[in-house]
Amino acid sequence: MSGQIVTLPNREPTIRVAAMPSDANYSGDMFGGWIMGQVDIAGSIPALHRAKGRVVTVAVNSFVFKEPIFMGDIVSFYAEIIKVGTTSITVDVQVYAQRDPAKPVCVKVTEAVLTYVAIGEDRKPRVVPSVDK
């Protein structure tokens, strides 16, 4: 795979992490499950803020691994709410890797859409509050 060189979006990432050896397979690429977990964390952040409380992941609507993530990459996750339902919040997550500090390169590595449901203390779905004006 030879990805197109891109630049990071012109906004703060939801989360940014370094890809560490403990998260790599024997070839030095990050495990897909590690990436999926980080995407879920990133997606949950705007969802829980919008829901004003606890949310749970109910669906991974789409998940595309476009490029591998290598040990040592700095990985930036950009999450944005794309839909709010009665109890659900759908979030788009775009993931970029910055690699090779000697010759910096940035590639888009993953795209995902996840759906979260707001839940109450009883762990049952609850209505997502309306936006404060």
Side-chain angles (χ1 to χ4, degrees):
M1 287 186 241
S2 59
Q4 180 180 4
I5 306 301
V6 298
T7 58
L8 293 175
N10 191 20
R11 60 188 172 109
E12 287 296 312
T14 306
I15 61 173
R16 180 174 283 152
V17 298
M20 301 298 287
S22 61
D23 302 313
N25 62 26
Y26 63 89
S27 297
D29 301 337
M30 294 302 104
F31 283 113
W34 176 81
I35 300 163
M36 293 178 87
Q38 298 299 312
V39 165
D40 193 20
I41 291 167
S44 72
I45 292 170
L48 74 88
H49 284 286
R50 178 62 182 82
K52 298 188 181 346
R54 180 180 285 174
V55 296
V56 294
T57 310
V58 295
V60 177
N61 307 59
S62 67
F63 208 105
V64 178
F65 295 102
K66 300 174 77 65
E67 292 287 328
I69 297 174
F70 305 123
M71 188 171 33
D73 284 354
I74 303 302
V75 188
S76 299
F77 298 77
Y78 295 83
E80 179 178 24
I81 294 171
I82 56 173
K83 181 181 175 191
V84 177
T86 304
T87 61
S88 66
I89 300 168
T90 303
V91 180
D92 177 76
V93 182
Q94 304 292 313
V95 186
Y96 298 83
Q98 293 170 284
R99 49 182 60 137
D100 192 3
K103 296 178 189 166
V105 172
C106 181
V107 294
K108 188 176 204 180
V109 293
T110 303
E111 299 173 345
V113 177
L114 299 92
T115 300
Y116 300 86
V117 166
I119 60 169
E121 292 295 322
D122 60 359
R123 298 191 186 269
K124 303 271 190 232
R126 65 176 172 80
V127 173
V128 174
S130 56
V131 178
D132 296 334
K133 304 242 187 247

